Amino acid sequence: MIDDFAKDNLHGRLRRDRATLLWKLDDLSEYDARRPLTATGTNLLGLVKHVATVEARYFGEVFDRPSPEPLCRWQDSDGSDQWAAEDETREEIIAFYRRTWEHADATIDKLSIDALGHVPWWPEPYTHTNLFAVLVHVLGETIRHTGQADILREGVDGRTGLRPEQEQPIDEEARAAHRTKIEQAAKAATRAH
């Protein structure tokens, strides 16, 4: 019974965070969805493409259920899953992510929480694992990248949040006052130490 609860809970959280990650693209221009927003080139559409690739590999290759999506061999990965080429449309990348969800969900639904898998890109002795560990790992990756997307989106237009139904209107004046208070505390702490 605890196995079913754990599997259902982890899977539900993964579904929630997938939707949140996609929501971070809503109402963005093509440029804002694709442009590098950090010194290392992290961008919103690239995060979606990367997380789709992560799910395709972990819920595909690891459990000998290869993704129907074309992927390069993991050994040949060159980082191109972290940004969108000019000939890749937003719609294509989102559709890839959604198809990956379907394949991943089928894997999760079919296998027991202790089903064995093999992650060849993990170091020994960790290459042999199970669905529980992979669910936790992929959920962690998805949460991490969704958090990055939240920060990036805030930098683009100020929008933040976990779900669209919880989004609050942006109060620029209140945000500025809050930021000023934090900045003053940081300066005061610096002088005190």
Side-chain angles (χ1 to χ4, degrees):
M1 183 159 165
I2 190 71
D3 288 350
D4 290 338
F5 172 79
K7 181 176 158 181
D8 292 345
N9 190 279
L10 293 169
H11 196 184
R13 290 170 111 29
L14 180 61
R15 286 181 173 124
R16 178 199 70 191
D17 291 326
R18 287 170 175 162
T20 299
L21 180 58
L22 277 187
W23 172 54
K24 297 302 173 180
L25 294 174
D26 281 3
D27 303 321
L28 283 179
S29 70
E30 204 57 40
Y31 176 71
D32 283 339
R34 296 167 173 268
R35 69 183 169 114
L37 296 165
T38 69
T40 59
T42 305
N43 61 93
L44 289 159
L45 192 56
L47 287 172
V48 171
K49 185 179 174 186
H50 175 66
V51 171
T53 303
V54 165
E55 278 205 40
R57 290 200 190 285
Y58 278 96
F59 293 116
E61 295 170 52
V62 168
F63 296 101
D64 201 25
R65 295 174 50 86
S67 170
E69 298 297 322
L71 298 171
C72 69
R73 294 179 335 133
W74 66 267
Q75 302 94 321
D76 300 330
S77 182
D78 61 0
S80 60
D81 70 321
Q82 297 181 11
W83 60 283
E86 65 185 77
D87 63 338
E88 294 177 295
T89 69
R90 180 189 322 211
E91 292 74 22
E92 289 170 340
I93 291 171
I94 290 171
F96 164 52
Y97 193 23
R98 290 186 186 279
R99 288 189 307 272
T100 297
W101 293 359
E102 290 174 16
H103 183 72
D105 289 348
T107 297
I108 295 165
D109 290 343
K110 178 179 172 137
L111 301 177
S112 66
I113 195 84
D114 59 353
L116 298 178
H118 180 257
V119 186
W121 52 88
W122 283 2
E124 289 293 347
Y126 307 106
T127 59
H128 298 286
T129 190
N130 61 30
L131 181 61
F132 175 79
V134 169
L135 266 166
V136 170
H137 179 80
V138 172
L139 179 59
E141 283 284 311
T142 304
I143 290 167
R144 175 177 170 237
H145 294 309
T146 300
Q148 291 171 326
D150 193 41
I151 295 291
L152 295 178
R153 182 63 190 256
E154 181 179 353
V156 169
D157 63 6
R159 289 178 67 181
T160 63
L162 181 62
R163 293 188 281 284
E165 64 272 14
Q166 294 177 337
E167 187 175 22
Q168 299 294 316
I170 298 169
D171 181 340
E172 295 293 346
E173 193 173 301
R175 280 189 177 179
H178 182 68
R179 189 180 188 291
T180 298
K181 178 173 68 174
I182 295 169
E183 179 71 24
Q184 289 170 346
K187 286 179 180 178
T190 301
R191 287 190 299 270
H193 298 284

